[in-house]
Amino acid sequence: MKKFYVLILIVLAFTSCKSQSINSNTIQPSHTEITENKPKLIVGIVVDQMRYDYLTRFETKFGEGGFKRMMRQGFNCKNNHFNYVPTYTGPGHASVFSGTTPKYHGVISNNWYDKETNEIVYCAGDDTVNSVGTESAAGQMSPHRMLVTTFCDENRLFTQLKGKTIGISLKDRGAILPAGHTANAAYWFHGVDEGAWISSTFYMNELPEWVKAFNISEKAESYLKVWNTLYDISTYSESGADENRFEGGFQGKEKAVFPYDLAELSKDNRGFDILKATPFGNSLTVDFSMEAIKAENLGQDDFTDVLTVSFSATDYVGHNFGVNSKEVQDTYIRLDKDLERFFNFLDETVGEGSYTVFLTSDHGAVNVPSYLNSVNIPSGYVDNNLRKEKFQEFLISIYGTTEIVENISNNQIFINKEKVEELGLNIREVQEAIANEQIKYKNIAKVYTAATMNSANFSQGIEALLQNGYNQKRSGDVILVDDVAYISYGITGSTHGSALNYDTHVPLLFFGNGIKHGETYEKTVIPDIAPTISALLGISFPNSNTGKPLGFIID
Ligand SMILES: [Zn+2]
């Protein structure tokens, strides 16, 4: 026994001596000490189609642990805007994470006319890769059309690929573009009759076991239940009447009113896809995100990991029911509960104060124009057929052919350069002539030519937003701007895409490790987010960043 104590004493003496000598000889702190104060996990949240005023309009219905926790413990940038058009999902997600605009990252819309192949391309579409986890083509996706890095890519390069990146969203583009080119994985939801989280061979050849297990767990099925308001509908005084003429609703149900029997309605609404247009699509996204954190050990070592989570259901609900609907209000009340559940889980697994979250949106939305009309606010619907008819007459009378225009999409006119040459015309003059014609049309407020976009330098107003959204290689020859609150859309539900406040003003909240408590009305723009996170981590800014780090939010 005595010998044993002596041995312990010797060992203790030796180790303490050894550690002393190491400490006295070591000037540089160890790796652990360097990274100790850095966040172990960055969670980048995008809430699809979330207007800034949803934070304030629904605030009294929010609990303490979701949106309000971010506002009360973190930093609230109250005057945060998109600084480009079009305000759509693909460009939005690319801009949040790359710190720049379509002018540089090249994601000029969700779908656009490709001038080289003369085809419509999808922002995340990639037929050189295959689906993983489905027999369908829904997995043939990658970020290859995004020309720049995201802060997730820069974190991967900085950590010698040791810090992981995983992207998650119901929408493929909401998962793929944020996570960037070097992501370990991106997962999105394939509805129809499968109801499964899938990926592509861009990331992996087979789904990990935990994803397969999740997909057979019947979690998605469990949400095919009755959707009723979380609280008594009579208390939802912050939204319009449940029954009105401004909402779409689901196939197979006459009126867009609560309750919705989702199991029954799923039969007429593309099976599991119905979940995307209910708050339960967001709940499922949180369930899957928590599983990813557990199974992939995110936030468990000294190399900062990044999880990007995009909540898409808010967008589908907004498109279907509109900004002022009870359905939108209930969706945000329930998202608040899901965020609380998610943050509590992060406290338990990564540790309170060890992770950093930011929350923003990819665009806002306009109130349903037919509703705005009913309260005398100028608004309405663009008559695209009439415009097309008049424009074709013009082209034939001036050029003798309609072939001089090869595509009109995303409020841009693409001119056929070969035809211009063949007819011995000058491209600038054709652009000018088309612009002078289009400005005469009903509900067109402004028209600009590519020549103007390439030569002028706009620093403010709608013109500056057009220029930030204008990519010389990919964008069209003539750019059209519709009247305020006029949309190309059906007469029910909301949409987005413009340079106006209802589409550009979105929340920006930060909280957790390294974030001060506070709020500001100073204007911030979407491309400021990525350099702010880069600054927090001490890593390179995304390679084409045009935003500025928001130093005032960093502790
Ligand atoms: Zn949308």
Side-chain angles (χ1 to χ4, degrees), residues 208-228:
E209 289 308 317
W210 70 266
V211 179
K212 290 183 189 169
F214 189 96
N215 284 339
I216 57 168
S217 71
E218 302 198 345
K219 199 82 194 170
E221 278 91 338
S222 74
Y223 288 117
L224 288 174
K225 55 184 180 183
V226 174
W227 175 20
N228 213 333

Side-chain angles (χ1 to χ4, degrees), residues 48-49 89 171 315 319 363 495-496:
D48 206 313
Q49 204 188 109
T89 295
K171 289 183 182 176
D315 184 62
H319 278 294
H363 53 75
T495 194
H496 49 87

Side-chain angles (χ1 to χ4, degrees), residues 461-483:
I462 286 177
E463 293 78 4
L465 273 73
L466 288 171
Q467 198 158 45
N468 285 336
Y470 187 81
N471 184 288
Q472 194 174 3
K473 276 294 252 202
R474 293 183 173 177
S475 298
D477 293 280
V478 178
I479 299 135
L480 315 170
V481 180
D482 291 322
D483 276 342

Side-chain angles (χ1 to χ4, degrees), residues 227 242 244 246-250 255-258 260 277-278 315-328 331 368 489 492-494:
W227 175 20
D242 191 23
N244 62 67
F246 315 116
E247 302 181 354
F250 294 112
K255 289 178 180 171
V257 292
F258 284 104
Y260 297 97
T278 75
D315 184 62
Y316 292 103
V317 176
H319 278 294
N320 194 355
F321 300 97
V323 164
N324 204 44
S325 62
K326 291 267 184 273
E327 286 80 355
V328 161
T331 298
V368 181
Y489 204 68
T492 58
S494 286

Side-chain angles (χ1 to χ4, degrees), residues 125-192:
D126 185 351
D127 55 20
T128 68
V129 298
N130 290 313
S131 298
V132 172
T134 174
E135 294 295 311
S136 76
Q140 289 193 284
M141 303 286 165
S142 85
H144 76 114
R145 288 200 167 87
M146 182 172 67
L147 306 170
V148 303
T149 60
T150 67
F151 76 76
C152 314
D153 288 317
E154 297 299 336
N155 184 57
R156 293 276 287 155
L157 293 172
F158 186 86
T159 61
Q160 305 304 316
L161 305 180
K162 291 185 179 108
K164 285 186 176 179
T165 308
I166 294 182
I168 292 170
S169 172
L170 295 177
K171 289 183 182 176
D172 48 46
R173 58 190 180 277
I176 290 165
L177 299 173
H181 305 277
T182 55
N184 301 78
Y187 300 104
W188 52 98
F189 185 70
H190 183 52
V192 207

